[in-house]
Amino acid sequence: MSQIILDKKEMANLTADITKQVDSAIKSALSKNENKILNRAQIANYFNVGANTIDQWVDLGMPYALLGKTKRFSTKSALKWIHEHEVTKQNKKRPIHILNE
């Protein structure tokens, strides 16, 4: 096993670099969770799906605001709607057979 020995200045630089990277990762995660108002193409890009998929989701009840003739989507509301429609595989329980003695 190798060891790396750092002097105080190198350790301070390493600590500063790690702190910057962690701060950047936190800011990136927070920006993804902020609420944005997007048009159809943008919300499709946000979810990495086609615009026709967004139309299908709207038909299924995905919320949107109608501004004039343009639909606008809140990322927060869209994410909430999607999470409400998540499907999980139900655990199939095997029946218990009790034998009479």
Side-chain angles (χ1 to χ4, degrees):
M1 180 187 272
S2 299
Q3 266 189 326
I4 298 174
I5 300 173
L6 304 174
D7 64 23
K8 288 182 181 182
K9 184 178 179 181
E10 292 170 324
M11 187 62 163
N13 288 340
L14 179 62
T15 302
D17 288 342
I18 291 171
T19 301
K20 286 179 188 177
Q21 289 179 5
V22 170
D23 287 344
S24 176
I26 290 170
K27 287 177 185 176
S28 176
L30 290 174
S31 72
K32 290 179 182 177
N33 288 329
E34 71 185 30
N35 191 28
K36 296 178 183 177
I37 305 300
L38 305 176
N39 64 27
R40 179 175 165 257
Q42 291 168 325
I43 198 79
N45 187 48
Y46 182 82
F47 287 114
N48 198 28
V49 298
N52 290 337
T53 300
I54 298 301
D55 293 338
Q56 292 170 353
W57 291 356
V58 166
D59 290 343
L60 292 172
M62 183 172 154
Y64 64 91
L66 196 56
L67 302 176
K69 295 181 180 181
T70 306
K71 292 177 184 168
R72 298 289 184 196
F73 300 88
S74 158
T75 55
K76 184 176 180 179
S77 295
L79 283 168
K80 182 179 181 230
W81 181 82
I82 286 174
H83 287 302
E84 289 170 353
H85 289 82
E86 287 179 339
V87 176
T88 59
K89 184 176 180 180
Q90 299 294 324
N91 292 332
K92 293 185 179 181
K93 295 182 181 179
R94 298 170 73 189
I96 299 173
H97 296 285
I98 300 174
L99 301 174
N100 291 330
E101 295 181 22

